[in-house]
Amino acid sequence: MTMTMMKSFLLFLLSAAPATAFVPSPAGNVASTQSHTALSATQQRADDEPASRRVVLGALATAAVATMPLAASAIDTYLTEPTEEFKESERQRMEFRKKQLALKGEFVKVLARLTGESSTEEQLVGDLAALKGLVIETGGLPLGIKKEEMYKVIRSKKAKGFWPTNVEIAYQKLKSEIAYQQSPNTEKDLENPL
């Protein structure tokens, strides 16, 4: 329980304790209305009268107050330094980011060459084939390169004019390879003939 829940529970117990003041005593016994403290809700008095609500609530309040320091100390415990597993996962993340940045650099170089330097059909087809090879090598696109943004860059080159049929075929092959590499269903189902 949190500290606020514990406080509200104690307030409930304290407010519920006087509720037995209006309960009539059995057979007019004055001794039965006197309160006493019991450690258990099932404990009975000497005259075989069952434990009253006040006794039960008193025992619950005592138990709640006794366990309060334990709950409060459990909330305030924090790790002072990272665990070995966390350090290992951080190292793996950094290695992955470095690899992804290097791959992104390769993609950016080829895209820059495609949009800026390539002007003949062979150069354009070669750049698109290089991009397709990078997609196959990477198993998709690296972090930081979005599929739609890459398509926009290539289409801007296409819109400038010179875009022969073989270049369009290479562009469509690149698009289909990206779709294949990014598809989660790359495993073949041998039992299904379709």
Side-chain angles (χ1 to χ4, degrees):
M1 277 196 231
T2 63
M3 191 60 102
T4 56
M5 288 176 60
M6 185 64 75
K7 287 180 183 177
S8 63
F9 178 71
L10 286 176
L11 287 174
F12 170 75
L13 288 178
L14 292 176
S15 66
T20 60
F22 298 107
V23 175
S25 63
N29 189 357
V30 176
S32 65
T33 60
Q34 296 175 349
S35 64
H36 68 283
T37 306
L39 297 177
S40 170
T42 61
Q43 183 177 357
Q44 294 185 350
R45 293 186 182 181
D47 55 355
D48 291 334
E49 185 178 312
S52 69
R53 205 175 341 174
R54 183 174 287 175
V55 172
V56 172
L57 291 175
L60 286 175
T62 305
V65 170
T67 60
M68 189 181 312
L70 296 175
S73 65
I75 293 172
D76 294 335
T77 57
Y78 297 102
L79 291 176
T80 56
E81 58 186 51
T83 62
E84 292 301 319
E85 293 86 14
F86 180 76
K87 290 177 183 176
E88 177 63 22
S89 68
E90 282 294 314
R91 185 191 60 75
Q92 290 174 351
R93 272 187 222 112
M94 288 304 293
E95 286 178 7
F96 178 75
R97 286 184 188 134
K98 286 178 184 177
K99 288 178 185 176
Q100 291 295 308
L101 283 174
L103 291 171
K104 181 182 176 184
E106 292 294 319
F107 272 85
V108 169
K109 285 179 191 175
V110 174
L111 281 172
R113 187 174 62 226
L114 174 75
T115 57
E117 299 172 12
S118 299
S119 59
T120 65
E121 181 178 346
E122 292 81 24
Q123 290 174 333
L124 291 170
V125 170
D127 289 340
L128 290 169
L131 280 174
K132 182 181 172 190
L134 285 172
V135 168
I136 293 170
E137 178 186 327
T138 335
L141 295 174
L143 292 177
I145 293 191
K146 296 180 180 164
K147 176 175 66 172
E148 294 302 322
E149 290 177 7
M150 186 174 76
Y151 291 163
K152 283 181 186 178
V153 169
I154 296 172
R155 283 194 306 258
S156 70
K157 177 68 175 182
K158 180 180 178 179
K160 290 180 182 174
F162 183 70
W163 197 260
T165 305
N166 289 336
V167 177
E168 181 63 26
I169 291 171
Y171 173 61
Q172 293 302 323
K173 285 181 180 179
L174 170 67
K175 286 177 67 173
S176 66
E177 187 61 40
I178 291 172
Y180 174 76
Q181 292 292 336
Q182 291 186 339
S183 171
N185 302 323
T186 57
E187 296 179 9
K188 295 189 180 199
D189 187 9
L190 299 176
E191 296 175 7
N192 187 1
L194 300 176

